[in-house]
Amino acid sequence: MGCLFCNIVSKKIPSAIVLENDHALAFRDINPVAPTHVLVVPKKHMTGIHDATPEDGEVLGAVLLAARQVAHDLGLEAGYRLVVNNGAEAGQSVFHLHVHVIAGRPLAWPPG
Ligand code: AMP
């Protein structure tokens, strides 16, 4: 079985892909919390941001730039939020690093 998002990256498990490049894949969240909810993941497996190392800088930059590209392509310039949950206590449920791109409704601050 293995890692869910690794299986999505390898396309063993289907997803609604919105962007793909050498380092990152972006796909629609299966359980959206807002009208637009996309996940951007590195193709390389990393459990979470806390496990990243300086050597991962290029990949991490590519993931953030992919999130920006998704926001541009989906016309989210009015506002969007990037969220990275790290650890179960913070709400992480899939242990492959991912950036949530959330938009399309007023987003409260501070987050819950
Ligand atoms: P987190 O709770 O930060 O780890 O976020 C994991 C996200 O993955 C949740 O928002 C889930 O809805 C989403 N998710 C789980 N399985 C899938 C899937 N097969 N395809 C797309 N999104 C998924």
Side-chain angles (χ1 to χ4, degrees):
M1 221 181 112
C3 167
L4 173 62
F5 287 174
C6 284
N7 283 325
I8 286 178
V9 165
S10 67
K11 302 188 178 130
K12 283 184 200 138
I13 292 177
S15 67
I17 293 172
V18 297
L19 178 149
E20 180 168 16
N21 63 32
D22 286 349
H23 289 304
L25 183 75
F27 52 93
R28 304 267 181 191
D29 196 293
I30 204 167
N31 185 24
V33 299
T36 298
H37 188 172
V38 171
L39 302 174
V40 185
V41 308
K43 288 187 168 178
K44 174 188 170 183
H45 181 85
M46 296 177 210
T47 302
I49 191 63
H50 202 70
D51 298 291
T53 69
E55 288 70 41
D56 295 319
E58 184 184 1
V59 171
L60 295 176
V63 167
L64 274 183
L65 287 170
R68 181 226 166 260
Q69 190 65 44
V70 166
H72 174 266
D73 293 350
L74 299 183
L76 307 181
E77 281 82 0
Y80 57 94
R81 184 168 292 168
L82 305 183
V83 175
V84 178
N85 294 322
N86 190 92
E89 199 164 318
Q92 186 176 6
S93 61
V94 178
F95 290 87
H96 178 128
L97 175 66
H98 48 282
V99 176
H100 297 257
V101 182
I102 298 168
R105 63 168 170 81
L107 297 168
W109 191 263

